[in-house]
């Protein structure tokens, strides 16, 4: 495979020199059209995404004979991969209208491949015990009243708002500023770190105000309550610096590189057909996170138990 | 006879703008003043001398007097500031880089104080280095290198590496390396000062033997007077870059040009160096002499025996011409006049 | 058989080359009193000025001119990547060329197969460095299979080898030039200085901008990180070649080229081999970090583990990295050592027989196809995670108390002071104290760097990062000096600790985040802990060496005067090892900065966070790039101020 690629790239250099200049995608893998080739699957850093990817990868490899290369990438970087050919598809995309504009409309290197069936919710949450104790905490207007409860070593004398990975879709800093909240946004660095903090908050009744989202397996184990922010209205988040409203609901979707889509391989069709519910995803996430299964084992278990769900995704003739 | 090496008005000034000093009043300043005024060091000042073919020419001086600089100027390892140098009648300063390389490859070779051997090469390849860079084929250069090694008494050491040899042996390798290209002129920069006294004496004998066998022109740098006296046909004395005196060992000891040279030779046993002509006197009118004369070239020490046994003065002759006479009155002061150094 | 190994040059981790530490410092005796009064006056003046002019420490704007400028650069590049001749005929070809190189190396290594590659590495180890090393290599590479990390390890090896090839190809000639041509050396020096203080993190974003993500960008970033060491050490080797040997060869009529090929290069080969060794070590640690820009290999496992806060998984990958590092290090150091050893003809013949046998074995092994997945596996993940779980459960109060204590008691006040200092006062203070410590030249550069921080619009974040760095360096020095003193006094302990320090230094900075995160959660303190773990080993080494370099005669004299061991340490050894200590501080500070910045990945915030956010969020790109630059400026500032310790106090002419 690689040797072939080297030869191909060498040939490419020669031909490029002849016709002048190398484009940025030069020398990259040709799309795996037709033949059962390799599918480059971006893996964004949260377990829900991983669940989608696990099942898709499992089906591609075990049921359809493809090779799947998983690439641990943050969202933006995964999008850049469409341009370079490093990434064929992203299987859980949260909005990102700006990226869609750049890569789909302007550069025309990616295309939308339809919804995953998952409903995405982003919000600010507190553990249930806090609502029991301070019933009015679920309104953002009262957050300043409770700021002292949330003080930590990192919050500089204000309350701490715990955010996740810096690459996630967030408006939290703008919200804190624009709603004049006495809070500091502290980035835990990853989904796992937020989950850990949330679990501790529930188990040890520690105060915590944090960024969280659905689909999310943890909601099946513990209760967390969403804090009401000013209601979302169309366009209220147009300027990321002036946002003062809650997050919208997201219809999560899939994106593929133009080359991958144009190849219209059975792999592409599977990605296109893939559609499941939040419960499905939470189940697989739970397997991965809490049952000590690898991605592959989790996918295998789910696939064995849900044939009816995935059978229709497999394109005819594969 | 044309000289092998002729040096005229040679200057070497180290420092920025060194070329702006020669020929100006600055050149007249003392070394300390020159350094203070310009930051420059005149390592060689206005030096002129000739070296005859086949001669052993020794350059002597205290540390820092410019000996190394002078000898390096001869093949432009250090670029002279001004003056003329010719080797074999050809001007060295006029040579282009290519001709200069030829000169270094075939005509002039050098032996260094710290040997300068290549530690990653075996002895044989060290000696063959000069031939190698001339493009001599491997077998040929190894053959010639072995021969040269035999000449310096290092048979059987070809496959050693330099650091497996003693200092004396290493310098023999350095010597062999210089001889291997069969040059007309050999330059030695204090070749034996890093060796201990016994080995040094051996090596000096070696040089004398080689000189007798192969008959090259030698320029030999040293700060050791005894070495200069044993080896040199003529000796040049340098002080602060200036040539103070050039002459035979005898001339140096017998007629030092100034107190610097006199200081140098003070400890030399005069009777070992001086010949009878330096101490003879004119015969008194009608004085009776021994019949058997002594040559004026006889070193004093060798005459002691006869002079002290003789009842009458002995005539000193050059051929058939009588130059003077000598008796115990002249001899004794010469024998005891030198100051032996008090052992520390 | 005699060795002619020249004493190795003094190398800092990171490949910086230094003069021997012990002779660089001559305590300034005259004027010490005056210096003290001046210093005291300056401290008072600074405090007064601070009290008069302190600000409220406003947050950085999210829209500084510098950010917009970098954003516009990004937009231009994005728009012109496939049209501008600069890319079409320049950078894109570079990318393509590197891609070809990586593919070729990959094809060569994977083509051998599991058994083939293991055999090949073992054979190379044996031929170059002796059978012990060969055995180590064999065991090490088998271990990748056992850990279930074969493919990732090979990927990491591929990238490392590619980057090292590039570095050597570029670095060795440049090093020769730098040593031989004065202006080249003089021009390169400051450039290399900056490259070496630059924290790894700072160049990821510019790399993706120019070369997009993927292996080529990773290899180029790695090369940039590693090549200064190649250049520096090569230049050192070439300029250390015995001038007599060169003169002798010149006197025999060598051409310049003959001098280079027959004298200079052969005589410098041991040092050049050392340069390759350092290059490999640096490349390895960088390659792992480039996982953030989509480089394959073990780095991916670490990133993954970091995201899932799975210390156990990271332990396996970290172990694989250490094994790879140790194998490569042993092979290259022993090979370097052997370049200085003369072999007899017999030995050389034996060696050729060895090589032949090796080739046969490798060829045979390459034909055997063993799937590394079938190798019996073992993972440390479960036991390590259990241990971490236990510690979390039982030490929670301790870790939490430590974190909160240091954060509230030291870090926060320091941060507040720094952040509320007006930028001009900071610049003036840096200039003034810098002049005192390191001379006006270094102070000027440091002050310019400080002013640059303000100019970038990242004052608050820069000062926060600085506060974290300062706390971390104080801890690092305290621990490092204590351990160093201990090691210098107990030989047994020192020999026991040395391999640990070795392993610690080959570990990429990244790996240290994990245990820290597991114990302390997402906080600045986590970054401090990771930085301390990262920077202590070299500090221990430098301190130990500094102490051991104190001449035994001096120690003897002090003992015979009746000093107690304590007096000996405080009155003789430590003062005399001042050079080593200051060097350690300088080195430690640069490493601490690098690590604190990486801490941005785990909640240390400030500049590190800006960089991470910059390459993960489009609208923050400009700010991220500016933050990268701010980190570099901060690095220059700290380095210049502390470098002065051991350069300006030297004997002045
Ligand atoms: N490259 C140089 N740059 C500046 N000054 C130099 C240089 N080489 C030599 N000198 C100076 O020139 C003077 C003569 O030096 P040189 O080495 O020729 O003396 P020397 O007689 O060979 O001494 P030694 O017996 O110690 O070898 C000295 O004062 C020395 O400091
Ligand atoms: Mg000399």
């Amino acid at each position: 495979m690689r040797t072939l690629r080297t030869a191909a790239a060498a040939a490419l250099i020669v031909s490029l020199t002849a016709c002048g200049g190398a484009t940025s995608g030069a020398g990259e893998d040709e799309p795996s059209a037709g033949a059962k080739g390799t599918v480059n699957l971006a893996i964004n850093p949260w377990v829900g995404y991983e669940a989608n990817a696990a099942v898709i990868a499992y089906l591609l490899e075990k049921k359809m004979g493809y090779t799947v290369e998983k690439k641990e990438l943050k969202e933006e970087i995964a999008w850049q991969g469409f341009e370079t050919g490093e990434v064929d598809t992203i299987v859980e995309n949260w909005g990102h209208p700006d990226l869609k504009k750049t890569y789909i409309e302007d550069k025309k290197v990616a295309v939308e491949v339809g919804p995953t069936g998952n409903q995405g919710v982003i919000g600010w949450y507190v553990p249930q015990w806090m609502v029991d104790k301070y019933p009015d905490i679920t309104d953002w207007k009262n957050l300043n009243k409770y700021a002292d409860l949330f003080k930590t070593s990192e919050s500089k004398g204000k309350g701490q708002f715990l955010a996740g990975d810096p690459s996630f879709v967030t408006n939290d800093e703008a919200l804190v500023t624009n709603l004049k909240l006495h809070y500091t946004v502290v980035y835990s660095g990853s989904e796992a770190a937020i989950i850990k903090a949330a679990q501790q908050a529930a188990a040890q009744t520690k105060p915590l105000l944090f960024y969280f989202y659905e689909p999310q397996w943890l909601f099946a184990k513990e209760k967390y309550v969403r804090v009401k922010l000013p209601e979302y209205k169309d366009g209220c988040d147009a300027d990321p610096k002036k946002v003062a409203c809650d997050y919208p609901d997201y219809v999560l979707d899939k994106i593929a590189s133009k080359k991958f889509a144009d190849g219209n391989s059975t792999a592409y069709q599977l990605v296109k057909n893939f559609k499941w519910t939040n419960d499905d995803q939470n189940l697989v996430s739970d397997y991965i996170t809490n049952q000590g299964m690898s991605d592959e084992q989790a996918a295998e278990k789910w696939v064995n138990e849900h044939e009816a769900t995935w059978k229709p995704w497999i394109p005819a003739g594969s | 006879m044309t000289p092998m090496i002729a040096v005229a008005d040679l200057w070497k000034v180290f420092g920025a703008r060194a070329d702006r000093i020669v020929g100006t009043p600055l050149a007249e300043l003392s070394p300390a003043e020159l350094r203070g005024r310009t930051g420059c060091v005149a390592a060689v000042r206005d030096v002129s001398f000739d070296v005859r073919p086949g001669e052993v020419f020794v350059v002597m001086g205290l540390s820092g007097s410019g000996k190394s600089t002078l000898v390096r100027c001869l093949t432009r390892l250090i670029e002279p500031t001004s003056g003329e140098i010719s080797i074999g009648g050809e001007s060295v300063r006029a040579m282009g880089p290519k001709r200069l390389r030829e000169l270094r490859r075939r005509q002039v070779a050098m032996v260094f104080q710290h040997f300068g051997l290549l530690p990653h090469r075996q002895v044989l390849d060290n000696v063959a280095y000069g031939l190698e860079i001339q493009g001599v084929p491997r077998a040929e250069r190894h053959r010639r290198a072995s021969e040269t090694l035999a000449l310096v008494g290092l048979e059987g050491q070809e496959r050693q590496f330099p650091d497996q040899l003693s200092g004396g042996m290493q310098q023999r390798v350095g010597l062999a390396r210089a001889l291997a290209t069969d040059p007309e002129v050999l330059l030695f920069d204090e070749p034996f000062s890093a060796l201990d006294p016994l080995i040094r004496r051996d090596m000096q004998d070696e040089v004398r033997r080689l000189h007798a066998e192969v008959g090259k022109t030698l320029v030999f740098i040293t700060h050791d007077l005894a070495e200069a006296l044993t080896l040199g046909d003529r000796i040049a004395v340098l002080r602060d870059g200036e040539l103070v005196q050039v002459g035979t060992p005898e001339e140096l000891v017998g007629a030092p040009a100034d107190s610097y040279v006199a200081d140098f030779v003070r400890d030399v046993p005069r009777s070992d160096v001086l010949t009878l002509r330096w101490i003879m006197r004119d015969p008194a009118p009608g004085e009776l002499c021994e019949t058997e004369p002594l040559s004026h070239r006889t070193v004093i020490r060798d005459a002691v025996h006869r002079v002290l046994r003789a009842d009458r003065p002995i005539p000193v002759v050059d051929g058939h011409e009588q130059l003077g006479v000598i008796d115990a009155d002249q001899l004794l002061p010469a024998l005891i006049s030198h100051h032996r150094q008090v052992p520390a | 058989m005699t060795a002619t190994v020249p004493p190795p040059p003094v190398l800092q981790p990171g490949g910086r080359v230094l003069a021997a530490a012990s002779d660089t410092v001559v305590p300034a005796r005259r004027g010490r009193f005056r210096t003290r009064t001046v210093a005291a006056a300056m401290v008072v003046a600074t405090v007064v000025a601070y009290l008069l002019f302190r600000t409220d420490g406003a947050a950085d704007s999210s829209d500084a001119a510098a950010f917009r400028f970098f954003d516009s650069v990004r937009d231009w590049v994005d728009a012109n990547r496939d049209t501008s001749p600069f890319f079409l005929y320049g950078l894109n070809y570079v990318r393509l060329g590197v891609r070809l190189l990586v593919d070729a190396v990959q094809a060569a290594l994977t083509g051998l197969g599991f058994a083939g590659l293991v055999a090949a590495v073992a054979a190379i180890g044996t031929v170059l460095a002796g059978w012990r090393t060969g055995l180590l290599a064999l065991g090490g590479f088998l271990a990748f299979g056992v850990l279930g990390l074969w493919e990732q390890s090979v990927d990491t090896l591929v990238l490392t080898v590619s980057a090292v090839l590039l570095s050597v190809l570029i670095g060795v000639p440049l090093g020769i030039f730098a040593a031989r041509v004065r202006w080249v050396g003089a021009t390169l020096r400051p450039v290399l200085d900056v490259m070496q203080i630059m924290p790894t993190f700072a160049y990821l974003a510019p790399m993706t901008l120019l070369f997009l993500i993927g292996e080529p960008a990773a290899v180029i970033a790695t090369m940039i990180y590693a090549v200064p060491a190649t250049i520096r050490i090569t230049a050192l080797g070439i300029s250390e070649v015995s001038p007599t040997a060169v003169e002798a060869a010149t006197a025999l009529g060598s051409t310049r080229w003959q001098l280079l090929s027959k004298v200079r290069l052969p005589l410098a080969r041991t040092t050049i081999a050392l340069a390759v060794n350092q290059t490999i070590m640096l490349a390895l640690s960088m390659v792992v970090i480039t996982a953030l820009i989509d480089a394959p290999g073990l780095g991916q496992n670490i990133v993954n583990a970091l995201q899932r806060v799975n210390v156990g998984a990271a332990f396996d990958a970290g172990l694989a990295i250490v094994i790879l590092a140790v194998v490569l290090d042993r092979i290259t150091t022993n090979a370097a050592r052997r370049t200085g050893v003369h072999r007899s003809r017999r030995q050389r013949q034996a060696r050729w027989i060895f090589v032949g046998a090796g080739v046969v074995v490798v060829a045979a092994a390459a034909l055997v196809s063993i799937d590394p997945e079938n190798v019996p596996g073992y993972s440390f993940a479960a036991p390590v995670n259990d241990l971490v779980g236990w510690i979390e459960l039982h030490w929670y109060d301790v870790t939490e108390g430590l974190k909160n204590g240091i954060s509230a008691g030291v870090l926060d006040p320091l941060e507040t002071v720094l952040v509320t200092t007006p930028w001009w006062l900071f610049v003036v203070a840096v200039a003034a104290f810098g002049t005192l410590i390191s001379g006006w030249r270094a102070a000027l550069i440091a002050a310019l760097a400080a002013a640059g921080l303000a100019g970038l619009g990242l004052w608050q974040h820069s000062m926060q990062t600085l506060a974290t760095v300062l706390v971390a360096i104080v801890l690092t020095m305290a621990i490092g000096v204590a351990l160093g003193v201990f090691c210098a006094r107990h030989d047994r302990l020192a020999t026991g600790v040395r391999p640990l320090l070795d392993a610690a230094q080959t570990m990429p900075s990244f790996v240290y985040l994990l245990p820290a995160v597991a114990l302390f959660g997402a906080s600045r303190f986590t970054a401090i802990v990771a930085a301390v773990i990262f920077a202590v080993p070299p500090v221990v080494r430098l301190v130990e060496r500094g102490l051991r370099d104190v001449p035994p005669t001096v120690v003897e004299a002090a003992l015979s005067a009746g000093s107690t061991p304590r007096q000996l340490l405080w009155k003789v050894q430590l003062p005399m090892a001042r050079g080593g200590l200051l060097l350690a501080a300088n080195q430690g500070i640069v490493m601490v900065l690098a690590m604190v910045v990486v801490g941005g990945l785990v909640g240390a915030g400030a500049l590190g966070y800006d960089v991470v956010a910059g390459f993960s969020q489009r609208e923050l790109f400009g700010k991220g790039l500016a933050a990268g630059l701010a980190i570099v400026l901060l690095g220059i500032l700290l380095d210049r101020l502390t470098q002065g310790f051991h350069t300006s106090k030297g004997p002045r002419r």
Side-chain angles (χ1 to χ4, degrees), chain C residues 216-238:
Chain C
V219 167
I220 294 171
T222 307
M223 191 270 284
I224 296 179
Y225 181 66
V227 84
T230 330
I231 299 177
R232 283 231 146 118
I233 306 175
T234 304
L236 180 79
I238 293 287

Side-chain angles (χ1 to χ4, degrees), chain B residues 106-339:
Chain B
R106 303 188 192 276
Q107 284 171 274
V108 184
M110 189 157 168
V111 180
F112 297 86
Q113 176 175 7
H114 298 293
F115 320 144
L117 300 179
L118 302 177
H120 64 291
R121 288 169 166 247
Q122 295 172 348
V123 164
L124 188 67
D125 286 317
N126 259 295
V127 175
Y129 181 84
L131 298 167
E132 178 181 335
I133 59 174
Q134 295 175 18
V136 176
R138 195 183 155 88
E140 163 76 3
R141 65 176 190 250
H142 276 181
R143 190 183 55 75
R144 280 168 61 184
S146 307
E147 282 172 18
T148 327
L149 276 172
L151 196 64
V152 299
L154 281 180
E155 304 94 332
Q157 309 287 347
E158 289 87 350
R159 296 284 160 201
Q160 303 280 62
F161 283 88
D163 58 4
Q164 294 166 323
L165 302 180
S166 70
M169 285 159 94
Q170 290 190 34
Q171 193 56 296
R172 281 173 202 258
V173 177
L175 192 56
R177 177 174 63 183
L179 287 171
T181 52
D182 195 23
E184 298 152 34
V185 178
L186 282 170
L187 308 178
F188 293 81
D189 184 9
E190 305 199 22
F192 309 140
S193 26
L195 307 178
D196 57 52
L198 284 183
I199 299 183
R200 194 183 311 170
R201 184 136 11 105
D202 271 0
M203 293 298 291
Q204 286 162 2
D205 292 345
E206 191 76 31
V207 168
R208 251 196 310 239
R209 181 176 66 79
L210 282 171
H211 183 242
E213 279 179 30
V214 297
K216 314 255 178 213
T217 308
L218 266 49
V219 176
F220 198 102
I221 308 289
T222 181
H223 61 231
D224 176 358
L225 183 67
E227 189 167 85
L229 294 174
T230 42
L231 289 177
D233 291 331
R234 282 191 303 149
I235 299 172
V237 181
L238 270 184
R239 182 184 55 190
D240 292 341
E242 267 175 311
L243 216 48
V244 190
Q245 189 173 8
V246 184
T248 61
E250 214 182 323
E251 283 166 347
L252 244 61
V253 176
D258 63 6
S259 59
Y260 178 75
V261 183
D263 253 8
F264 241 114
V265 298
R266 198 176 58 189
D267 296 329
V268 177
R270 295 162 66 87
S271 56
D272 288 0
V273 178
L274 294 188
T275 52
L276 295 182
R277 60 180 300 167
W278 292 94
I279 52 170
M280 65 192 180
R281 65 171 166 81
D282 291 334
E287 190 174 20
L288 279 179
C289 295
E290 296 281 324
T291 45
E292 193 81 341
L294 277 165
S295 159
H296 71 113
R297 287 183 206 277
T298 314
V299 176
I300 297 172
R301 163 150 299 174
D302 299 340
V304 173
H305 197 69
R306 271 201 62 201
V307 174
L308 293 186
R309 294 270 181 91
D311 302 326
R312 286 170 291 193
I314 302 176
V316 178
V317 296
D318 181 5
H320 294 294
E321 185 192 350
Q322 178 169 0
L323 298 177
V325 297
I326 186 158
D327 59 20
D329 291 346
Q330 278 82 47
L331 200 69
L332 289 176
L335 278 176
I336 55 171
S337 69
H338 76 268
H339 316 263

Side-chain angles (χ1 to χ4, degrees), chain B residues 12-15 35 41-44 61-72 78 113 189-190 221-223 238 241:
Chain B
K12 173 64 201 179
V13 183
F14 287 111
R35 168 172 292 191
V41 179
V44 175
L62 296 179
S63 183
S65 58
K67 308 179 296 288
S68 301
T69 310
L70 174 63
V71 77
R72 280 169 176 70
I78 290 178
Q113 176 175 7
D189 184 9
E190 305 199 22
I221 308 289
T222 181
H223 61 231
L238 270 184

Side-chain angles (χ1 to χ4, degrees), chain A residues 47 191 195 216-217 284-293:
Chain A
V47 67
E191 178 189 51
I195 291 179
Q216 173 58 259
W217 60 266
V284 178
S285 302
D286 183 47
Y287 291 160
I288 295 176
T289 320
N290 301 314
Q291 321 271 331
M293 292 188 210

